[in-house]
Amino acid sequence: MTTIQLQPADARLAALAVVYHLGRPGSELDAATLQPHEAGLGPLQPVIEGQLGLAVTTLDVTPYQLSRLGEALHGTVNELKQYELSEGRSVVPGFAAAFARLFPDHAGEEGGALDLASLGVMLRRRLDTAVREAAAQVEAARAAEAERAAAENAAERKGRSLWRRLFRRRSR
């Protein structure tokens, strides 16, 4: 687990990033099983939203969640630009409502979404080292799992091969 602390504006941006992430189809599906999982940003949403009034928002996140949050921040920056260009419309379900709720001062202001996009870039840069380390941990865990699965597969093939040889000898 990694603990990150966010100032109020950054916490609201993180909350918007989670809304963006969860609004994308398949964002919370396990890649291997294609089933919903609880390891993503879904469980983080109520934690962030519950701390929005505090001076500092403290989040305990797994490496996977932190790497997903970094990706969500990138996507949110792009969505904020698109949101501004399309005059307050978004294809991401709930994004416009969350934007208006989390940033009421920027919602009605021309260029408000672009101002937030630059703040999102700065937040992502501040989290960059932690996000890179988290992504490396996630990749190492995936590689270890793939190696373990390959070893199990090889052992299983070897066992089947042994039984085939024994069966062939007996049937001769």
Side-chain angles (χ1 to χ4, degrees), residues 13 41 54 61 78 85 98 120 122 164:
L13 273 169
L41 296 182
L54 302 178
V61 293
N78 288 331
L85 292 173
M122 290 188 291
R164 283 185 190 142

Side-chain angles (χ1 to χ4, degrees), residues 34-105:
L34 298 179
Q35 298 299 313
H37 63 79
E38 292 296 316
L41 296 182
L44 205 55
Q45 187 176 24
V47 174
I48 295 173
E49 299 263 347
Q51 296 185 47
L52 285 179
L54 302 178
V56 174
T57 297
T58 302
L59 303 173
D60 291 321
V61 293
T62 65
Y64 181 75
Q65 287 174 321
L66 186 54
S67 66
R68 299 298 283 181
L69 183 59
E71 293 171 11
L73 283 167
H74 276 303
T76 301
V77 167
N78 288 331
E79 187 64 22
L80 284 167
K81 293 175 190 175
Q82 182 277 326
Y83 183 82
E84 185 69 36
L85 292 173
S86 65
E87 300 172 348
R89 291 186 302 272
S90 175
V91 296
V92 178
F95 188 85
F99 178 76
R101 179 176 49 83
L102 292 167
F103 298 98
D105 296 344

Side-chain angles (χ1 to χ4, degrees), residues 18 20-30 37 40-41 64 68:
V18 171
Y20 166 81
H21 171 78
L22 295 175
R24 295 179 8 232
S27 63
E28 292 291 288
L29 294 181
D30 182 275
H37 63 79
L41 296 182
Y64 181 75
R68 299 298 283 181

